[in-house]
C-alpha cells in the first residue's frame, strides 16, 4: 500500500543551527506514527515543515501520490493535514460549535445558521466522544475537554493526516485513556496520525511505528514492538543511562526539621495542612489534579493569601505575606507554568538567572554588568544549559533548558528550601535525568526539597518520602520502603470515595 | 386616624408648596455658556452673575462646558431648561448648526431664546422652521478683526508683508475673524505670506511662528485670531530677536496681552466687552418678555485696544 | 565587512535611520532647513514633548499608560506660576520654590495614578482619564481660569538662553533622556521595569514588590511632567489652565514611534527621543516646504504610519542580510 504522506530528505536550517538534516518518513493510512527525541531534536521543525509554517528548503514531500509543498498553514489545512498543538488555539468566549466551525460557519440569508451549526457540531463532538453542549462557551471547559475540542476542530473538515503534539502532557490518567480510545477510533476510520510524546510508556499503548530523531537527524524508524524503552532512550540521548531515576543513598539524613508547616489554611481548603521537611530530604507530594497540592505550595510561599496556620523555618516562625518575604526568608517556588510564572521570556538568560537576587550583582542600585555576566556564565555551564550565549532570550530555549534556567535562578538566590511544582512536565528524558541529578546536588548541600509531581514513577523513583493529598487533606505519609503505586493511589482517592 | 392625618397633611403640602413658591418666584433665566476654561467666557459668565446680583429681579442659572467642542453638554442643558420651564434661555452656541434643533424645541415650548456670541446657522434655522433672521445679540467678529487689522496696516503702510494665524478650522468665529483680516489685506493691498492655524493654542502658535520666521524672515506684521495665540507669537518673535521689527495684533483683550501692549511688544487687540455681552443678551431677552418683538442682529460694540487706551 | 556594517546600522540605529533620512531629505529640498537657526528652533520645539515622553516611556514599558500628562502639566504651571508671581517673595526663593512645587504637584498626581490603579487593579487608562479631568478642574479652580504671566525677568530670560545654538531647555531634555536611559539599562530599578513589563507574575514570584515599582514609574512620569511644566514656562512665559490639551497623544506617539511596545517590556529612551525628533522635524520641515495646514496634517499622519511599518521590515531585512 502506498503511504498517504511521504517525506523525503527534508532539511531546514536556522541562523547557526542545522535544525533538520535529510529526514525521511512514510506515513500510512490507519497508522499511528510516533515521533520521539529530546527537545531540540527536530520534531517541531519537522511538523512545521509538514504543516506549512516554514517553507520547504531541501527535500520533497508527496501527499496522496502528488507533490506537496504547502506555503502557508492554510494550504496544509485545505489539503487535509491538521495539527493539534500543545498550546491550544481556541477562542475562549465563543461557543464550542463556533470554535469548531470558525473558518466556515454555515450561513443562511447572510446570517449564521445556528441550527445547522449546532447539529453539525454535535455530529463532530460525537465522533471524538466529547460530551458537552455545542452552545457552551469554551472558557468553561476543562483542559482535557479543550484537547478533544481541538481534535474535533481538526477532524470537522476533510482530514487525512492528524498531527498530535504532546496531547497528554496536561491530561490526567483517566483522560489519557479516553483520548487513546478516540485515537483508536480515528485510526479505524483510516486517518494517519503522527503522535509526538515524551511519555515513553504511553507510546507503547498507542503507537504502531516509531521514528527516533536526534540533533535533527533520523536515528531509527521501526515497528514500536521491536524496541524496548531503554533502547529508545539510548537512541534519543546517544548514550546509555544507568536508570531512569537516579537515587543516591549517600545523602546525609540528619533528621533535623528545616521547614515545618502547621495547620496551614488558605482560601478554598477546608482542612488545615501540616507537615515537616527535613534537612537533605526530598519530599514528594502526590495527589490528583485539584487535590490542593499546588495551592499548598503557593500559600506557603505567600503567592496567594494565607488564612491561618504557622510556618517555621529552622524552628523560628516566619511571617510571610508576600513572595518577597518568602524569598528573603530563604524559600523558593518553581511553578508548574514556567513560561508564564517562572521566566521573563523576552529577557536574556543572564537577566533571568539574577532576577531573584539582584543585590548580588549590584552596588547601591547600579548593576555590575561583568559580575552578572560571570555569575550567569558559571551557573549556566554548571547546569548544562545549552545555549550559544547568555545573552540569548529565554524564549529561544527548549523546554528542558528553560526549566534548568528557572532552577539556576533559585540556585543563584541560594534558597534553603526549594519547592518544585511539576518540574519535569513536558521535558524530555535526557533533560529530566539531568534535573534529577541537580536535585541530588542540592540535597547534598543540606537543602530541603518539596516536589509536586503527577508522575508516580518519578516520585517513587527519586523521593525519600511521599505525602499524598486527597481533596485538600493529607491522607498518606509514606516512607521509601512503603512506596507502591497501589498505596499512593489508595491514599489519593481516599477523600473522594466515601 | 393618625395615619390618615399625616397623609392629608402631606398631600396638602404637596399641593400648596409650589403655589407658595411660585408666588414669590422671580423669572428664571437659563444661561448656556461655552467653555468656562476659556478666560474670555469665564469673565463673560462672571459679568452675567454680577449683573444678576445687582439687578435682583431675576434668577440666573449659568451652565458651562468642559471644552470648546463639547456640544452635548449644551444640548443637555437646553433640554433641562425646557423641562424646567424657565422663562428665558440665553445661548452662546458651541456649534451654530448642532444647537438649532434645541432652540426650535425651546421656542415651541414657548420659551424665548436669545442667541448671542456666535450666530446660529441661517440655513439650519430655516430647515428647522425658524425665521432666517432669528434674533442674535453679539459682536461683529468680522468687523472687530477688520478694525484691528486696519489699525496695524495704517502703521505698516500699503503693501506690507503679513501673516495670519488662524483659530480652529471649522469654528465660526475663527472663519469670521479671518474674513475680517482678509478685508484688511485687500484694502491695503498687503502681501499675505502665510495663513496657518494654531488651533487657538499658545504653544502651537509659538512653534508655528518660529517656523514661519525661518521661512519668511521679512514678515512685518502678524494678525492673530485670538490673544492666546498672540502670546505665543510675540514670544517667538522675541526669541528670534526681532522684537520691534514685527507688529502683532490679537483679539479678546486678555490680561497677559494688555501687559504686552503696555510693554510695546504687541500693537493692539480687540475688546468685544465680554463681561457685558451675556448681560446685554439678558437685557434684550427681557425686552422680549416685556412684549417687544425683536429679530435680526442686535450688535454689541467692538473696540480696538492699543497702548493709548491702556495708559 | 560591508554587510556587517549595514547589519549593525539597521539593528542599532533603528528608527534613527528614518529620522536621518527625513533630515537629509529636508536639507536637500528645503532652503533654510539645515540652518543653525532652524536647527535651534527644532531643538526648542521638541524639548517639552521629549521630557513628557521620557516619563511616558517608563509607564508604557510597564504596560501602562498615562493620559493625564497634558492636564497635569497645566496644573503644574499654575501651581508654579502662582507661587512665582506672589508678592514679596525674594527672587531666588520664588524661582526655586516654583520648580520644587511644580515637581511635587506632578509627583503627587503620578502617585495618585499609580497607587489607585495598582491598589484596586483598575486599568491605568481609566484612572489617568479621571486624573485628566481632576487636574484640569483643579487648575481652572485654583487659577480662576486666568492666564498667569509677568514672571520675574530673570526667569523669562533663562528661557531663551542658548549655548552655541543649543537651547538650555533642550540640554535639560537631553540630559533627562540620558539619565533615564542609564537608569533603565544600568540599574536594578530599570532591570525590574523591563522585567515587570514582560512578565509581572514571574517577577513577583521571584520575590519583588512589583506594586512599588509600578507606582514609582507613575511618580517618575509625574516628575517629568513637573519638569516639562517649568520648561513650558521658560519657553512661553505664561502659566495657563487651558494649555497642554492633547499633549498626551504627542508623548504617546513619540514613545511608540520610538519602538516601545504598548504591551510593555520592550523599548528605549533613545528611541523615544528619536520619535519626538521625527515629529518635530516633520512639523518644521513640512511647514517650510509651504504645505497648507490640512495637507500637512495628512502627510504627517501618513509618514508616521509609514515609518513604523518600515521599522518592522528593518529587523527582518537585517536578519536576511546576515544569512
Amino acid at each position: 500500500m502506498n503511504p498517504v504522506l511521504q517525506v523525503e530528505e527534508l532539511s531546514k536550517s536556522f541562523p547557526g543551527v542545522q535544525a533538520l538534516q535529510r529526514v525521511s518518513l512514510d506515513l500510512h493510512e490507519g497508522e499511528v506514527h510516533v515521533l520521539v527525541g529530546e527537545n531540540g531534536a527536530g520534531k517541531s521543525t519537522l511538523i512545521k515543515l509538514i504543516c506549512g509554517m516554514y517553507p520547504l528548503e531541501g527535500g520533497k514531500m508527496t501527499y496522496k501520490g502528488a507533490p506537496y509543498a504547502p506555503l502557508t498553514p492554510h494550504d496544509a489545512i485545505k489539503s487535509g493535514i491538521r495539527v493539534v498543538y500543545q498550546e491550544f488555539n481556541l477562542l475562549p468566549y465563543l461557543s464550542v460549535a463556533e470554535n469548531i466551525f470558525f473558518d466556515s460557519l454555515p450561513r443562511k440569508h447572510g446570517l449564521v445558521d445556528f441550527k445547522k451549526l449546532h447539529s453539525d457540531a454535535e455530529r463532530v463532538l460525537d465522533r471524538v466522544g466529547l460530551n458537552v453542549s455545542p452552545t457552551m462557551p469554551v472558557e468553561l471547559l476543562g483542559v482535557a475537554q479543550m484537547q478533544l475540542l481541538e481534535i474535533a476542530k481538526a477532524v470537522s473538515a476533510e482530514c487525512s493526516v492528524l498531527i498530535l503534539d504532546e496531547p497528554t502532557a496536561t491530561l490526567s490518567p483517566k483522560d489519557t485513556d479516553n483520548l487513546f480510545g478516540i485515537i483508536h477510533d480515528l485510526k479505524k476510520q483510516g486517518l494517519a496520525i503522527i503522535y509526538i510524546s515524551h511519555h515513553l510508556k504511553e507510546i507503547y499503548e498507542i503507537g504502531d511505528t516509531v521514528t527516533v530523531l536526534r540533533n535533527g537527524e533520523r536515528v531509527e524508524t521501526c515497528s514500536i514492538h521491536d524496541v524496548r524503552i531503554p533502547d529508545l532512550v539510548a537512541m534519543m540521548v546517544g548514550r546509555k543511562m544507568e536508570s531512569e531515576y537516579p537515587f543516591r543513598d549517600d545523602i546525609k539524613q540528619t533528621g533535623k526539621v528545616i521547614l515545618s508547616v502547621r495547620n496551614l489554611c488558605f482560601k478554598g481548603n477546608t482542612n488545615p495542612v501540616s507537615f515537616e521537611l527535613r534537612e537533605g530530604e526530598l519530599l514528594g507530594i502526590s495527589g490528583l489534579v485539584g487535590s490542593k497540592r499546588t495551592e499548598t505550595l503557593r500559600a506557603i510561599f505567600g503567592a496567594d493569601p494565607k488564612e491561618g496556620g504557622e510556618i517555621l523555618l529552622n524552628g523560628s516562625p516566619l511571617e510571610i505575606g508576600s513572595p518577597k518575604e518568602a524569598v528573603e526568608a530563604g524559600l523558593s517556588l518553581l511553578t508548574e507554568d514556567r513560561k508564564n510564572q517562572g521566566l521573563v521570556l523576552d529577557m536574556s538568560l543572564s537577566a533571568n538567572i539574577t532576577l531573584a537576587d539582584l543585590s548580588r550583582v549590584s552596588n547601591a542600585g547600579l548593576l555590575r554588568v561583568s559580575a552578572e555576566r560571570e555569575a550567569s556564565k558559571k551557573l549556566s555551564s554548571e547546569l548544562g544549559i545549552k545555549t550559544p550565549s547568555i545573552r540569548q532570550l529565554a524564549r529561544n530555549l527548549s523546554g528542558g533548558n528553560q526549566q534548568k534556567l528557572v532552577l539556576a535562578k533559585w540556585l543563584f538566590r541560594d534558597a534553603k528550601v526549594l519547592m518544585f511544582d511539576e518540574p519535569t512536565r513536558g521535558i524530555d528524558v535526557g533533560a529530566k535525568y539531568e534535573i534529577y541529578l541537580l536535585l541530588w546536588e542540592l540535597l547534598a548541600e543540606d537543602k530541603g526539597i518539596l516536589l509536586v509531581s503527577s508522575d508516580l514513577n518519578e516520585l517513587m523513583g527519586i523521593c525519600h518520602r511521599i505525602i499524598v493529598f486527597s481533596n485538600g487533606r493529607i491522607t498518606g505519609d509514606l516512607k521509601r520502603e512503603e512506596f507502591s503505586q497501589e498505596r499512593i493511589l489508595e491514599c489519593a482517592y481516599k477523600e473522594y470515595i466515601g | 386616624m393618625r395615619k390618615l392625618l399625616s397623609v392629608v397633611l402631606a398631600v396638602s403640602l404637596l399641593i400648596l408648596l409650589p403655589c407658595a413658591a411660585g408666588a414669590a418666584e422671580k423669572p428664571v433665566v437659563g444661561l448656556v455658556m461655552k467653555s468656562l476654561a476659556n478666560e474670555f467666557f469665564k469673565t463673560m459668565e462672571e459679568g452675567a452673575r454680577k449683573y444678576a446680583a445687582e439687578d435682583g429681579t431675576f434668577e440666573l442659572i449659568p451652565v458651562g462646558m468642559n471644552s470648546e467642542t463639547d456640544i452635548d453638554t449644551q444640548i443637555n442643558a437646553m433640554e433641562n431648561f425646557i423641562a424646567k420651564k424657565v422663562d428665558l434661555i440665553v445661548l452662546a452656541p458651541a456649534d451654530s448648526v448642532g444647537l438649532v434643533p434645541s432652540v426650535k424645541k425651546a421656542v415651541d415650548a414657548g420659551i424665548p431664546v436669545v442667541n448671542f456670541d456666535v450666530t446660529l446657522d441661517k440655513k439650519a434655522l430655516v430647515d428647522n422652521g425658524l425665521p432666517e433672521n432669528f434674533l442674535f445679540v453679539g459682536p461683529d467678529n468680522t468687523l472687530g478683526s477688520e478694525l484691528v487689522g486696519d489699525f496695524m496696516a495704517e502703521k505698516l503702510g500699503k503693501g506690507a508683508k503679513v501673516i495670519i494665524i488662524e483659530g480652529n478650522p471649522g469654528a465660526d468665529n475663527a472663519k469670521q475673524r479671518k474674513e475680517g483680516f482678509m478685508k484688511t489685506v485687500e484694502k491695503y493691498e498687503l502681501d499675505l505670506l502665510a495663513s496657518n492655524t494654531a488651533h487657538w493654542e499658545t504653544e502651537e502658535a509659538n512653534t508655528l511662528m518660529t517656523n514661519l520666521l525661518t521661512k519668511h524672515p521679512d514678515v512685518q506684521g502678524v494678525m492673530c485670531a485670538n490673544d492666546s495665540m498672540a502670546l505665543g507669537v510675540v514670544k517667538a518673535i522675541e526669541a528670534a530677536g526681532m522684537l520691534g521689527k514685527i507688529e502683532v495684533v490679537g483679539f479678546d483683550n486678555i490680561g497677559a496681552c494688555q501687559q504686552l501692549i503696555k510693554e510695546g511688544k504687541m500693537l493692539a487687540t480687540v475688546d468685544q466687552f465680554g463681561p457685558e455681552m451675556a448681560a446685554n443678551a439678558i437685557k434684550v431677552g427681557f425686552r422680549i418678555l416685556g412684549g417687544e418683538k425683536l429679530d435680526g442682529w442686535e450688535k454689541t460694540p467692538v473696540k480696538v485696544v492699543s497702548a493709548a487706551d491702556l495708559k | 565587512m560591508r554587510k556587517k556594517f549595514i547589519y549593525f546600522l539597521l539593528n542599532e540605529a533603528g528608527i534613527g535611520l528614518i529620522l536621518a533620512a527625513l533630515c537629509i531629505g529636508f536639507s536637500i529640498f528645503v532652503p533654510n532647513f539645515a540652518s543653525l537657526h532652524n536647527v535651534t528652533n527644532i531643538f526648542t520645539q521638541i524639548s517639552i514633548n521629549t521630557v513628557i515622553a521620557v516619563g511616558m516611556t517608563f509607564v508604557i514599558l510597564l504596560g501602562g499608560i498615562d493620559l493625564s500628562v497634558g492636564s497635569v502639566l497645566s496644573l503644574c504651571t499654575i501651581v508654579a506660576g502662582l507661587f512665582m508671581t506672589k508678592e514679596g517673595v525674594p527672587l531666588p526663593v520664588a524661582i526655586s520654590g516654583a520648580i520644587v512645587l511644580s515637581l511635587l504637584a506632578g509627583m503627587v498626581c503620578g502617585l495618585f495614578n499609580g497607587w489607585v490603579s495598582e491598589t484596586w487593579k483598575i486599568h491605568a487608562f481609566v484612572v489617568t482619564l479621571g486624573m485628566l479631568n481632576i487636574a484640569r478642574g483643579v487648575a481652572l479652580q485654583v487659577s480662576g481660569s486666568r492666564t498667569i504671566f509677568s514672571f520675574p525677568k530673570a526667569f523669562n530670560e533663562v528661557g531663551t538662553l542658548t549655548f552655541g545654538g543649543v537651547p538650555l531647555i533642550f540640554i535639560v531634555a537631553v540630559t533627562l533622556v540620558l539619565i533615564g536611559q542609564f537608569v533603565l539599562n544600568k540599574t536594578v530599578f530599570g532591570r525590574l521595569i523591563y522585567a515587570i513589563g514582560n512578565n509581572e507574575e514571574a517577577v513577583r514570584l521571584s520575590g519583588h514588590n512589583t506594586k512599588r515599582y509600578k507606582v514609582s514609574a507613575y511618580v517618575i512620569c509625574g516628575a517629568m511632567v513637573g519638569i516639562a511644566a517649568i520648561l513650558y514656562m521658560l519657553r512661553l512665559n505664561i502659566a495657563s489652565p487651558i494649555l497642554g490639551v492633547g499633549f498626551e497623544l504627542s508623548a504617546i506617539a513619540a514613545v511608540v514611534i520610538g519602538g516601545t511596545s504598548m504591551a510593555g517590556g520592550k523599548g528605549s529612551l533613545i528611541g523615544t527621543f528619536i520619535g519626538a525628533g521625527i515629529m518635530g522635524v516633520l512639523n518644521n520641515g513640512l511647514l517650510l516646504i509651504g504645505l497648507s495646514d490640512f495637507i500637512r496634517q495628512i502627510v504627517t499622519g501618513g509618514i508616521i504610519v509609514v515609518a513604523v511599518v518600515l521599522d518592522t521590515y528593518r529587523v527582518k531585512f537585517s536578519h536576511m542580510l546576515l544569512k
Side-chain angles (χ1 to χ4, degrees):
Chain A
M1 192 174 67
N2 281 332
V4 55
L5 177 71
Q6 198 170 10
V7 170
E8 286 170 87
E9 308 218 316
L10 285 195
S11 295
K12 173 82 192 167
S13 64
F14 297 107
V17 195
Q18 184 70 34
L20 210 59
Q21 212 168 354
R22 301 160 76 88
V23 170
S24 304
L25 188 126
D26 287 351
L27 186 63
H28 296 271
E29 254 176 43
E31 173 193 49
V32 175
H33 195 126
V34 181
L35 273 184
V36 295
E38 289 190 277
N39 287 327
K43 302 182 303 270
S44 309
T45 311
L46 179 60
I47 296 310
K48 284 179 178 164
L49 285 167
I50 295 177
C51 76
M53 298 264 272
Y54 298 145
L56 277 190
E57 225 168 63
K60 64 171 187 169
M61 290 189 272
T62 315
Y63 175 62
K64 292 183 172 170
Y68 167 73
L71 295 173
T72 63
H74 196 69
D75 288 349
I77 290 171
K78 265 196 308 195
S79 358
I81 297 185
R82 306 286 297 232
V83 189
V84 174
Y85 292 102
Q86 230 175 318
E87 274 96 25
F88 300 145
N89 190 12
L90 296 169
L91 304 161
Y93 305 117
L94 294 188
S95 72
V96 165
E98 284 164 324
N99 265 282
I100 297 177
F101 292 107
F102 190 73
D103 296 328
S104 52
L105 289 173
R107 275 162 209 274
K108 202 171 170 183
H109 317 304
L111 298 171
V112 174
D113 183 354
F114 279 104
K115 218 168 144 193
K116 183 165 175 358
L117 174 69
H118 291 151
S119 64
D120 284 358
E122 253 168 77
R123 219 165 8 86
V124 178
L125 291 173
D126 262 0
R127 196 166 161 207
V128 299
L130 178 54
N131 191 17
V132 297
S133 156
T135 53
M136 191 154 159
V138 164
E139 60 171 338
L140 300 179
L141 299 182
V143 177
Q145 291 171 318
M146 289 198 201
Q147 178 76 259
L148 290 177
L149 178 57
E150 280 281 10
I151 295 175
K153 215 168 98 182
V155 301
S156 69
E158 139 83 19
C159 172
S160 310
V161 174
L162 179 64
I163 302 172
L164 299 170
D165 187 4
E166 285 278 355
T168 58
T170 48
L171 297 191
S172 69
K174 192 169 155 274
D175 292 330
T176 304
D177 282 347
N178 184 22
L179 176 69
F180 287 173
I182 288 151
I183 294 177
H184 268 296
D185 289 347
L186 292 173
K187 207 169 105 171
K188 275 200 214 116
Q189 293 165 21
L191 250 66
I193 295 169
I194 297 181
Y195 187 98
I196 300 177
S197 181
H198 289 308
H199 276 265
L200 298 185
K201 286 218 177 81
E202 73 182 31
I203 64 175
Y204 282 86
E205 281 179 50
I206 193 73
D208 300 308
T209 319
V210 60
T211 291
V212 183
L213 295 176
R214 185 173 78 227
N215 294 333
E217 291 177 68
R218 190 181 69 172
V219 180
E220 174 74 294
T221 297
C222 60
S223 162
I224 196 138
H225 302 291
D226 293 346
V227 293
R228 293 177 311 118
I229 289 186
D231 304 330
L232 273 182
V233 172
M235 282 190 269
M236 282 161 64
V237 299
R239 62 175 187 271
K240 267 229 169 318
M241 286 191 296
E242 287 157 27
S243 80
E244 207 178 337
Y245 302 109
F247 182 83
R248 273 166 62 182
D249 45 18
D250 61 328
I251 306 289
K252 194 169 60 202
Q253 297 291 320
T254 57
K256 187 184 145 208
V257 173
I258 49 175
L259 180 77
S260 151
V261 174
R262 292 184 189 160
N263 299 318
L264 180 70
C265 295
F266 48 87
K267 204 177 168 200
N269 95 324
T270 39
N271 310 301
V273 173
S274 304
F275 65 88
E276 288 176 338
L277 173 70
R278 302 189 181 84
E279 200 170 76
E281 182 180 47
L282 207 174
L283 174 58
I285 300 183
S286 185
L288 304 172
V289 172
S291 61
K292 304 274 185 283
R293 302 169 304 176
T294 300
E295 290 81 353
T296 303
L297 294 194
R298 286 180 66 90
I300 294 173
F301 192 62
D304 294 328
K306 194 168 70 165
E307 288 178 344
E310 260 190 314
I311 293 161
L312 291 86
L313 188 67
N314 289 324
S316 45
L318 291 180
E319 270 313 315
I320 295 176
S322 69
K324 183 176 159 67
E325 286 159 334
V327 169
E328 278 161 6
L331 303 186
S332 66
L333 174 67
L334 288 83
T335 51
E336 178 181 354
D337 184 351
R338 54 186 172 257
K339 282 188 176 160
N340 290 319
Q341 299 178 350
L343 293 173
V344 182
L345 287 178
D346 282 314
M347 291 183 85
S348 69
L349 225 73
S350 64
N352 273 287
I353 289 178
T354 57
L355 186 62
D357 197 358
L358 283 162
S359 64
R360 272 181 68 190
V361 288
S362 65
N363 223 336
L366 291 185
L367 289 172
R368 292 186 294 141
V369 180
S370 60
E372 181 175 37
R373 194 171 50 227
E374 290 313 311
S376 20
K377 259 191 193 154
K378 186 160 160 269
L379 263 175
S380 69
S381 70
E382 270 177 24
L383 267 60
I385 299 177
K386 282 176 209 136
T387 171
S389 149
I390 53 159
R391 282 162 55 194
Q392 178 76 262
L393 299 186
R395 177 182 297 286
N396 297 338
L397 297 181
S398 66
N401 281 317
Q402 283 181 344
Q403 188 63 56
K404 286 185 195 166
L405 183 57
V406 182
L407 189 52
K409 174 172 84 177
W410 292 110
L411 293 185
F412 187 70
R413 174 78 213 190
D414 202 19
K416 293 189 201 73
V417 174
L418 294 108
M419 301 187 277
F420 290 84
D421 195 357
E422 303 281 5
T424 57
R425 168 169 291 174
I427 66 179
D428 60 72
V429 272
K432 258 185 199 174
Y433 188 78
E434 287 175 52
I435 285 182
Y436 298 144
L437 293 180
L438 284 167
L439 295 187
W440 287 106
E441 292 292 325
L442 291 172
L443 290 173
E445 293 167 20
D446 302 333
K447 295 180 192 300
I449 294 177
L450 284 174
L451 174 71
V452 166
S453 175
S454 295
D455 183 346
L456 282 188
N457 292 324
E458 171 177 283
L459 285 177
M460 296 198 303
I462 60 170
C463 291
H464 290 104
R465 188 158 64 97
I466 296 176
I467 54 178
V468 188
F469 276 71
S470 182
N471 202 8
R473 188 195 289 274
I474 297 180
T475 47
D477 186 342
L478 310 172
K479 292 195 191 61
R480 192 166 173 82
E481 51 275 19
E482 302 170 307
F483 289 176
S484 76
Q485 290 228 14
E486 292 71 25
R487 275 299 296 281
I488 294 173
L489 284 176
E490 186 192 321
C491 296
Y493 280 102
K494 209 172 200 166
E495 289 294 316
Y496 296 96
I497 295 167
Chain B
M1 190 59 210
R2 227 168 164 184
K3 233 181 201 170
L4 184 68
L5 190 69
S6 56
V7 169
V8 170
L9 258 175
V11 169
S12 50
L13 266 177
L14 273 176
I15 296 169
L16 287 177
L17 255 182
C19 302
E25 208 179 290
K26 299 185 263 185
V28 179
V29 176
L31 173 61
V32 182
M33 293 291 302
K34 289 216 247 176
S35 171
L36 297 181
N38 187 320
E39 198 170 337
F40 179 71
F41 293 109
K42 180 75 183 166
T43 43
M44 194 188 291
E45 189 229 25
E46 281 167 1
R49 279 177 193 273
K50 216 174 119 204
Y51 171 66
E54 282 168 3
D55 188 84
T57 61
F58 66 96
E59 191 194 336
L60 182 73
I61 311 176
V63 178
M65 314 188 288
N66 297 323
S67 75
E68 295 270 355
T69 49
D70 180 16
I71 54 169
D72 286 349
T73 317
Q74 285 203 329
I75 292 172
N76 289 340
M78 288 292 289
E79 264 153 27
N80 287 338
F81 283 144
I82 295 167
K84 255 189 209 161
K85 293 199 164 54
V86 297
D87 299 281
L88 175 66
I89 294 176
V90 182
L91 165 72
D95 185 306
S96 58
V97 174
L99 264 298
V100 174
S102 303
V103 171
K104 171 72 176 159
K105 265 189 219 165
V107 171
D108 287 349
I111 303 171
V113 177
V114 179
N115 165 219
F116 77 107
D117 183 50
V118 172
T119 51
L120 292 168
D121 188 81
K122 296 262 184 279
K123 188 170 180 299
L125 282 169
V126 174
D127 286 353
N128 280 276
L130 290 167
E132 189 183 328
N133 58 347
F134 193 79
L135 175 65
F136 170 65
V137 179
D140 189 338
N141 273 294
T142 315
L143 178 68
S145 56
E146 189 184 346
L147 286 176
V148 80
D150 290 353
F151 187 81
M152 185 177 84
E154 280 297 329
K155 180 144 196 235
L156 297 176
K158 276 201 172 187
K161 295 175 171 155
V162 296
I163 288 173
I164 295 174
I165 308 290
E166 302 166 27
N168 246 355
D172 295 298
N173 51 347
K175 283 183 207 153
Q176 290 159 3
R177 289 175 195 185
K178 182 175 176 192
E179 214 175 286
F181 289 141
M182 289 309 290
K183 282 189 179 167
T184 302
V185 169
E186 277 169 32
K187 220 183 308 173
Y188 290 86
E189 293 160 13
L190 299 178
D191 181 3
L192 183 61
L193 300 174
S195 182
N196 291 91
T197 176
H199 303 98
W200 303 126
E201 295 261 355
T202 310
E203 197 258 358
E204 200 178 333
N206 181 265
T207 298
L208 177 64
M209 190 63 210
T210 312
N211 292 339
L212 285 173
L213 279 175
T214 305
K215 193 168 162 67
H216 306 293
D218 51 347
V219 62
Q220 293 168 279
V222 185
M223 299 183 276
C224 308
N226 79 351
D227 274 356
S228 290
M229 296 192 292
L231 286 176
V233 167
V234 169
K235 193 63 204 167
I237 294 170
E238 189 174 1
M242 294 165 90
L243 267 184
K245 289 181 196 150
I246 303 170
E247 299 296 353
V248 179
V249 293
F251 206 115
D252 286 347
N253 193 23
I254 68 169
C257 282
Q258 290 176 359
Q259 175 82 13
L260 291 178
I261 293 173
K262 278 188 210 162
E263 288 170 6
K265 293 177 180 172
M266 187 172 155
L267 183 65
T269 182
V270 177
D271 194 349
Q272 36 180 352
F273 302 99
E276 287 108 80
M277 201 191 286
N280 281 337
I282 295 169
K283 281 180 201 160
V284 172
F286 275 107
R287 278 163 60 196
I288 301 177
L289 286 182
E292 268 183 74
K293 205 163 158 39
L294 295 172
D295 53 24
W297 189 351
E298 287 277 326
K299 287 193 185 178
T300 55
V302 286
K303 180 175 181 293
V304 172
V305 177
S306 65
D309 305 287
L310 294 168
K311 287 274 154 58
Chain C
M1 184 60 215
R2 206 149 118 225
K3 262 190 183 173
K4 267 212 164 138
F5 177 71
I6 298 174
Y7 177 80
F8 173 82
L9 210 64
L10 283 172
N11 260 303
E12 302 297 322
I15 193 102
L17 288 176
I18 287 163
L19 176 60
L22 281 175
C23 288
I24 293 169
F26 281 133
S27 306
I28 295 171
F29 296 110
V30 182
N32 290 334
F33 177 81
S35 69
L36 176 65
H37 185 70
N38 192 48
V39 172
T40 305
N41 288 343
I42 295 176
F43 284 166
T44 309
Q45 288 163 13
I46 65 171
S47 299
I48 292 168
N49 189 25
T50 300
V51 174
I52 300 173
V54 167
M56 189 68 83
T57 307
F58 275 83
V59 172
I60 292 183
L61 276 177
L62 283 174
I65 191 114
D66 188 348
L67 299 178
S68 69
V69 289
S71 299
V72 172
L73 179 95
S74 165
L75 175 61
C76 291
T77 66
I78 292 295
V79 171
L82 284 176
F83 185 78
M84 202 160 23
T85 50
K86 230 180 158 129
E87 298 282 325
V89 183
L91 186 66
V93 179
I95 292 178
S96 51
I99 295 173
V100 171
L101 280 176
S102 178
L103 268 172
L104 273 181
M107 287 163 80
V108 168
C109 294
L111 184 66
F112 175 91
N113 283 338
W115 186 74
V116 171
S117 73
E118 276 309 296
T119 304
W120 285 283
K121 298 287 164 210
I122 305 171
H123 196 283
F125 193 95
V126 180
V127 180
T128 58
L129 190 63
M131 176 50 84
L132 178 146
N133 286 303
I134 296 171
R136 182 70 68 194
V138 173
L140 286 164
Q141 183 64 36
V142 171
S143 66
S145 86
R146 283 188 171 77
T147 301
I148 301 167
F149 54 98
S150 61
F151 301 146
K153 206 157 175 263
F155 180 83
N156 286 350
E157 276 167 1
V158 171
T160 44
L161 270 187
T162 57
F163 301 92
V166 185
L168 176 76
I169 65 171
F170 183 70
I171 296 175
V172 173
V174 171
T175 311
L176 289 173
V177 168
L178 293 177
I179 293 174
Q181 185 73 6
F182 179 82
V183 168
L184 282 180
N185 282 337
K186 303 286 177 196
T187 67
V188 172
F189 180 81
R191 168 68 60 81
L192 287 172
I193 294 277
Y194 280 114
I196 292 170
N198 265 309
N199 189 344
E200 183 177 353
E201 184 63 1
V203 177
R204 187 177 82 96
L205 292 179
S206 296
H208 297 286
N209 185 348
T210 50
K211 178 179 166 184
R212 214 183 75 201
Y213 289 96
K214 291 183 91 176
V215 175
S216 309
Y218 284 93
V219 175
I220 288 175
C221 185
M224 290 300 138
V225 172
I227 295 173
I230 296 296
L231 297 187
Y232 190 103
M233 291 163 70
L234 281 171
R235 179 175 156 205
L236 294 166
N237 307 149
I238 57 162
S240 157
I242 56 170
L243 59 80
V245 175
F247 277 25
E248 61 279 356
L249 293 182
S250 304
I252 294 168
V255 174
V256 176
I257 294 170
T260 297
S261 152
M262 285 295 275
K266 235 183 257 175
S268 80
L269 279 176
I270 302 295
T272 294
F273 178 56
I274 293 169
I278 288 180
M279 292 182 39
V281 164
L282 273 181
N283 188 25
N284 175 280
L286 293 177
L287 186 83
L288 293 190
I289 290 181
L291 295 184
S292 78
D293 289 337
F294 303 150
I295 302 294
R296 224 168 70 222
Q297 218 169 348
I298 296 168
V299 174
T300 309
I303 293 185
I304 288 173
V305 174
V306 170
V308 176
V309 171
L310 275 183
D311 200 44
T312 63
Y313 279 99
R314 172 179 60 85
V315 181
K316 278 185 203 156
F317 184 67
S318 70
H319 283 298
M320 264 162 55
L321 261 183
L322 207 68
K323 250 174 78 180

